[in-house]
Amino acid sequence: MEVVIVKDAKAGGELIADGIADLLRRKPDALLGVATGSTPIPIYDALTARVRAGSVDASRARIAQLDEYVGLPAGHPESYRSTVLRQVVEPLGLTEDHFMGPDGSAEDVQAACEAYDKALAEAGGVDLQILGIGTDGHIGFNEPCSSLASRTRIKTLTEQTRVDNARFFDDDIEQVPHHVITQGIGTILEARHLVLLATGEGKAEAVAQTVEGPVAALVPASALQLHPHATVVVDEAAASKLKLADYFRHTYAAKPAWQGI
């Protein structure tokens, strides 16, 4: 696992966007796994700026959704399908033909989960998966004590996650669904490159447990320690509880340019 400490969220977004741009130059039709929430927005803004400036061509890129609420219609403004289309697909100049995600409004939700897992495999797998992290260490909607071998499935949100997400629903927790579809940890670990961005002091404890703690289902993000190519990008606030912060800074400063992100 590589840990990169940056000045702020904007710097983290720029760094990760550079890595995605390099990937698209090598593999123009790369499948990018995207997360939602406020944390990854600097990544999408920075990547969009590069596309509009002509420094990278994203016209053949494919976008894969990480998770989805159960019960919200596809056109609901806070469905993750709508969010990804609004924040990623449309700004990059892509169409829905370039997008894939689970169907949270399906009558048979379990079948929809299995179909999405199959679709990801048939698409050749995710080349780079962007991840955020919850204050309790969850990735995707894999809440604490999720199986580290789990596949795309239905999950029940913790009360803390519903509280955290209420800001997207007019601060009304009653509007936040109780259930979601999420790529499982086992599914996430199949991506070729995992990139987690965490910003703010509120994520510091979860970051420390993820990077320096034991691999444990209680902290789902700690499963990144098992991946051969995982990058954790954190701002100074989110890095504030890392015991090895100075070592991570030294390692990154001495990193050869040819290694890339």
Side-chain angles (χ1 to χ4, degrees), residues 172-228:
D172 181 4
I173 192 172
E174 296 305 318
Q175 294 187 44
V176 182
H178 286 271
H179 298 97
V180 293
I181 293 175
T182 185
Q183 286 187 37
I185 297 173
T187 306
I188 290 170
L189 291 177
E190 290 178 351
R192 296 175 183 87
H193 186 189
L194 301 179
V195 180
L196 186 151
L197 176 63
T199 57
E201 189 175 358
K203 301 295 179 70
E205 182 61 33
V207 167
Q209 291 295 323
T210 294
V211 173
E212 298 176 339
V215 175
L218 188 62
V219 184
S222 65
L224 270 66
Q225 296 180 35
L226 302 173
H227 197 276

Side-chain angles (χ1 to χ4, degrees), residues 131 133-134 136-148 150 153 155 185 188-189 196 206 209-210 214-226:
L131 298 168
I133 186 171
D136 58 4
H138 73 251
I139 50 174
F141 274 129
N142 294 284
E143 299 284 26
C145 292
S146 291
S147 166
L148 301 186
S150 54
R153 69 212 189 286
K155 288 291 291 183
I185 297 173
I188 290 170
L189 291 177
L196 186 151
Q209 291 295 323
T210 294
V215 175
L218 188 62
V219 184
S222 65
L224 270 66
Q225 296 180 35
L226 302 173

Side-chain angles (χ1 to χ4, degrees), residues 9-87:
K10 185 176 186 298
E14 295 285 350
L15 177 68
I16 296 170
D18 281 342
I20 296 172
D22 286 344
L23 170 63
L24 291 174
R25 293 184 189 105
R26 299 192 308 271
K27 186 176 183 180
D29 64 345
L31 182 57
L32 305 177
V34 298
T36 52
S38 55
T39 299
I41 289 176
I43 303 172
Y44 308 143
D45 288 347
L47 183 60
T48 297
R50 284 157 176 73
V51 169
R52 291 177 177 172
S55 62
V56 62
D57 180 4
S59 62
R60 293 173 57 195
R62 297 170 294 154
I63 307 297
Q65 197 172 331
L66 181 61
D67 41 31
E68 181 59 276
Y69 289 113
V70 170
L72 292 185
H76 189 288
E78 295 308 326
S79 75
Y80 283 164
R81 179 183 183 88
S82 294
T83 301
V84 170
L85 291 174
R86 185 172 62 245
Q87 294 182 350

